[in-house]
């Protein structure tokens, strides 16, 4: 589990964590206590048989080990890298009570990478069935649902609005956390199951709603891609980005390699990132790699940040300046951004979310110079498609209303992932997608 | 991959390209646009849909930068990596009574499809098309056919009425006020020309052209301010009430990447694209 040193890695977009060797994997797997009632499995949103695959690693039978994972999870190279294991499988590991939990994520990643190098076996699919399923969106939820349904013999078409499949895996999470060739390889596996991915198709525009409704079942997995802006003065100045735009320009369009690639992005100078989640960390670290001096402004304390701890550490190591208990009040400049006015925040009693609510301290205003401001304060579901389908109900914050089986308020339409939960994690989206896919199967099997 | 079905030069530096993209052509309505990406290194740019024919869709554009120059170089049978659309809200087409459509420069390309839709809804349509000079004027015949009446202006008087399109528009507003007006062209032209109808209280639409990336509402690159509210032109527009648009902000934000656009062009012209500078 070796990270490349911060001084080296801030000059490129290659992966920070180099992964573990086969020897290290075997030694790590041997530490597992083989619990009778493994809590780690409970902690995994897709219920991978973790002791099962650890046992095969111990026997150095990596092929069987990855097979076990793929029974539950078609995107292990991705999950091994981006899951917040500390609050999922590893957070439940009994060894973590007194010492270090098993590094389940690193082992999952090791197996997926090993398989990619040694030849991938595509799981067998069941007999072909006549039902056609449409999936809207090719992010983690859409891909997972597609793989599950294809393996059950359904004919599956994914509609994707962008020119590349993967959703947030391709436009949101940067290369240095999740190499795009890893994403492409896992998407290829889903295609090899017979799933058709139609890119450049925005449902509701390129695909009329009536055409969508002609499918036997539909799973909406359109994510939470609508960026929020703070609503403070100066937000439309040149140099102010939503994190979605900034990350899309770099991750999807390769603006970091401009002018070899044609998409530009403002780089270098002083960058202020607003927010404390993974998206904020990603934006800050991307800007750093393009030569910027980066300040991250967060209104609560560092320990309240929703970002993964490891990403906060990585950001700190890479020289990102953290300005916590601080909130922007306005963005300054004429035409182009020149700075951000911020105010210090007083931490008050805990609010409903268990975090302290923050109140501005009068007179504590200061100005931070900035050439670029990136707002990473959250996203919500894009309402476009949801509004077009009669009968779909939206809840607060625009989330699509879905029951515990992934059913929407319209028969034969299901939904999974961020569109139903609001912005969450890759693995939660995948877990929900498995549930939705299972509901679709049961509907046709009359269960 | 999407095939170029035909391509030709319409006027100096202005090109017409028909692309085979059935998912776009079959669903397109007046006022909508598409986003295309020419090759693997390419950027995504928005272009208004200026006509449909079966499985093909037409774009008309001026070659002003890296991507439009690449597009202009494509010939029949060449392929475009990505075409997504139709995007944006369709024009607000219904029975108004009498309508005036004003187009400036390459903005004229947007008009025939709107004119046809308005005619089909039972409107009478007057077209006013203007260009810097005679050689830059496009789609005259098509507009003649689509409109009940067509007025032509050139800045230098080399063809039609000398001056800007705002002149004849003002005369019409005074003599026979229309029920709705569309003004489409460069931002400064839309700002000035749509100002003409304001004192008359005539409903006026403009089609905004801010910088876009995805074109589906996920980034906010194309945000504009309309009636004091921030809107995303790609999903809330691109057409808005002209009299509520903050044009100065639009023009400022359009200049966002001018230095980079210049750098990109220089890179491609110097052979950085690997073609050795042979365009």
């Amino acid at each position: 589990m070796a990270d490349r040193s911060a001084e080296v890695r801030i000059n490129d977009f290659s992966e920070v964590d180099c992964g573990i060797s086969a020897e290290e994997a075997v030694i790590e797997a041997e530490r597992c206590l083989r619990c009778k009632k493994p809590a780690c499995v409970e902690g995994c949103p897709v219920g991978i048989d973790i002791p099962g695959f650890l046992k095969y690693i111990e026997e150095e039978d990596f092929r069987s080990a990855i097979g076990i994972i793929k029974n539950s999870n078609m995107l292990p190279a991705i999950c091994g890298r981006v899951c917040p294991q500390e609050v999922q499988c590893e957070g439940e590991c009994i060894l973590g009570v007194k010492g270090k939990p098993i590094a389940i994520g690193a082992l999952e990643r090791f197996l997926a990478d090993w398989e990619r190098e040694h030849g991938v076996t595509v799981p067998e699919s069941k007999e072909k069935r006549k039902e056609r399923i449409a999936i809207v969106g090719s992010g983690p939820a859409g891909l997972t649902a597609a793989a599950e349904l294809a393996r059950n013999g359904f004919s599956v078409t994914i509609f994707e609005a962008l020119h590349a499949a993967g959703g947030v895996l391709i436009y949101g999470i940067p290369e240095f956390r999740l190499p795009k060739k890893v994403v492409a390889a896992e998407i290829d596996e889903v295609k090899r199951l017979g799933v058709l991915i139609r890119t450049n198709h925005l449902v509701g525009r390129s695909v009329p709603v009536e055409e969508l409704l002609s499918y036997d079942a539909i799973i909406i997995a359109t994510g939470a891609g609508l960026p929020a802006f703070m609503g403070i003065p100066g937000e439309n100045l040149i140099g102010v980005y939503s994190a979605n735009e900034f990350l899309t320009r770099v991750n999807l369009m390769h603006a970091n390699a401009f002018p070899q690639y044609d998409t530009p992005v403002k780089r270098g100078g002083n960058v202020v990132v607003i927010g404390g989640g993974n998206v904020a960390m990603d934006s800050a670290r991307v800007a750093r790699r393009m030569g910027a001096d980066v300040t991250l402004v967060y209104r609560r304390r560092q320990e309240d940040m929703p970002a993964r701890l490891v990403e906060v550490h990585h950001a700190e190591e890479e020289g990102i300046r953290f300005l916590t208990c601080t909130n922007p009040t306005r963005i300054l400049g004429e035409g182009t951004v020149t700075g951000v006015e911020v105010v210090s925040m007083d931490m008050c009693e805990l609010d409903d979310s268990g975090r302290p609510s923050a109140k501005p301290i009068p007179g504590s205003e200061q100005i931070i110079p900035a050439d670029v401001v990136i707002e990473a304060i959250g996203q919500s579901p894009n309402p476009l498609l949801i509004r077009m389908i009669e009968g779909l109900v939206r809840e607060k914050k625009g989330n699509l209303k879905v029951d515990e089986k992934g059913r929407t308020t319209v028969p034969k339409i299901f939904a999974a992932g961020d569109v139903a939960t609001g912005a969450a994690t890759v693995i939660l989206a995948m877990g929900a997608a498995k549930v939705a896919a299972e509901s679709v199967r049961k509907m046709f099997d009359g269960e | 991959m999407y095939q170029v079905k035909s391509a030709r030069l319409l006027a100096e530096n202005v090109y017409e390209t028909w692309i085979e993209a059935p998912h776009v052509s079959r669903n397109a309505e007046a006022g909508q646009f598409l986003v295309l990406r020419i090759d693997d290194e390419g950027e995504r740019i928005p272009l208004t849909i200026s006509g449909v024919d079966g499985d093909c869709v037409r774009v008309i554009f001026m070659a002003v930068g890296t991507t439009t120059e690449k597009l202009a170089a494509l010939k029949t049978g060449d392929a475009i990596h990505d075409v997504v659309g139709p995007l944006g809200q369709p024009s607000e087409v219904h029975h108004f009574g009498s309508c005036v459509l004003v187009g400036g420069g390459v903005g004229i390309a947007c008009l025939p499809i709107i004119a046809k839709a308005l005619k089909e809804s039972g409107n009478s349509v007057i077209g006013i098309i203007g260009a810097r000079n005679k050689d830059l004027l496009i789609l005259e015949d098509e507009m003649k056919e689509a409109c009940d009446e067509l007025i032509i202006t050139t800045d230098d008087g080399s063809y039609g009425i000398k001056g800007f399109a705002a002149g004849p528009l003002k005369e019409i507003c005074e003599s026979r006020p229309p029920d709705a007006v569309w003004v489409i062209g460069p931002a400064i032209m839309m700002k000035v020309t749509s100002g003409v109808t304001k004192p008359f209280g005539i409903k006026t639409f403009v089609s905004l052209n801010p910088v876009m990336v995805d074109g589906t509402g996920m980034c906010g690159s194309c945000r504009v301010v309309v009636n004091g509210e921030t809107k995303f032109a790609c999903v809330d527009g691109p057409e808005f009430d002209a009299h509520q648009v903050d044009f100065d902000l639009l023009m400022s934000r359009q200049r966002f990447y001018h230095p980079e656009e210049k750098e990109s062009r220089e890179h491609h012209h110097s052979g950085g694209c690997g073609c050795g500078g042979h365009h």
Side-chain angles (χ1 to χ4, degrees), chain A residues 47-176:
Chain A
I48 295 173
D49 174 10
I50 294 165
F53 87 73
L54 289 174
K55 185 167 165 291
Y56 280 120
I57 294 179
E58 207 181 318
E59 294 167 7
E60 296 184 43
D61 181 357
F62 302 139
R63 179 75 62 192
S64 302
I66 188 71
I68 299 258
I69 293 181
K70 284 200 172 167
N71 285 334
S72 310
N73 178 1
M74 276 298 290
L75 310 170
I78 293 165
C79 287
R81 286 173 167 84
V82 303
C83 274
Q85 287 100 4
E86 63 274 18
V87 295
Q88 294 176 340
C89 54
E90 293 178 19
E92 300 293 326
C93 175
I94 196 81
L95 287 173
V97 177
K98 284 187 178 165
K100 274 177 77 114
I102 299 283
I104 300 164
L107 290 169
E108 180 182 26
R109 171 187 161 175
F110 161 75
L111 288 174
D113 291 351
W114 179 90
E115 191 196 27
R116 207 167 54 253
E117 279 159 29
H118 292 82
V120 172
T121 1
V122 177
E124 278 176 36
S125 296
K126 293 192 181 136
E127 207 177 312
K128 278 277 164 226
R129 326 176 39 134
K130 65 180 190 311
E131 292 92 356
R132 297 158 63 241
I133 317 295
I135 295 177
V136 191
S138 68
L143 290 170
T144 301
E148 290 293 318
L149 290 166
R151 287 172 69 176
N152 276 289
F154 290 97
S155 152
V156 181
T157 303
I158 300 183
F159 294 103
E160 167 56 50
L162 287 174
H163 60 260
V168 75
L169 306 172
I170 202 93
Y171 75 75
I173 304 175
E175 188 84 21
F176 54 79

Side-chain angles (χ1 to χ4, degrees), chain A residues 237-240 266 331-339 370-372, chain B residues 252 256:
Chain A
L237 290 168
I238 288 183
V240 182
K266 294 285 172 199
I331 300 169
L332 309 165
E334 267 181 55
T336 305
V337 173
T338 55
D371 305 294
V372 168
Chain B
S252 162
F256 206 145

Side-chain angles (χ1 to χ4, degrees), chain A residues 163 206 235 241-242 244 262, chain B residues 70 85 218-219 223 257 268:
Chain A
H163 60 260
S206 321
E235 275 183 326
Y241 289 95
S242 71
N244 265 9
D262 297 339
Chain B
K70 277 187 190 174
M218 62 171 260
C219 85
R223 59 197 189 273
Y257 293 108
H268 284 278

Side-chain angles (χ1 to χ4, degrees), chain A residues 297-306 323-327 345 347 351-358:
Chain A
V297 174
Y298 181 59
R299 65 190 168 129
R300 293 188 172 116
R301 301 166 305 175
Q302 188 160 331
E303 55 265 44
D304 302 316
M305 285 185 174
L323 212 53
T324 52
C325 301
T326 305
N327 209 28
M345 304 295 280
M347 292 298 120
D351 68 8
D352 296 343
S353 68
R355 294 180 294 187
S357 62

Side-chain angles (χ1 to χ4, degrees), chain B residues 109-224:
Chain B
C110 308
L111 300 186
I113 196 168
I114 302 176
K116 281 175 207 155
L118 285 170
K119 289 284 283 180
E120 278 166 23
S121 294
N123 295 282
S124 71
V125 178
I126 301 173
I128 306 175
I129 57 175
R132 279 213 316 279
N133 60 51
K134 184 173 190 280
D135 295 337
L136 288 172
L137 194 75
I138 57 167
L139 303 183
E140 182 187 347
D141 293 344
E142 218 170 290
M143 283 298 286
K144 226 174 230 163
E145 199 174 312
C147 302
D148 297 293
E149 186 184 336
L150 184 66
I151 300 165
I152 293 163
T153 65
T154 51
D155 299 3
D156 64 357
S158 52
Y159 191 52
I161 300 167
K162 184 174 170 23
F164 297 128
L169 177 62
K170 186 156 184 273
E171 278 173 32
I172 292 170
C173 290
E174 281 162 352
S175 60
R176 39 176 172 156
D179 299 296
V181 172
W182 270 259
V183 180
I184 304 178
I188 183 69
M189 174 267 182
M190 291 194 284
K191 179 186 173 177
V192 172
T193 311
S194 65
V196 168
T197 59
K198 199 171 179 183
F200 297 94
I202 297 166
K203 182 83 177 166
T204 304
F205 299 97
V206 282
S207 180
L208 303 188
N209 45 0
V211 175
M212 285 187 191
V213 184
D214 61 290
T216 63
M218 62 171 260
C219 85
S221 168
C222 66
R223 59 197 189 273
V224 292

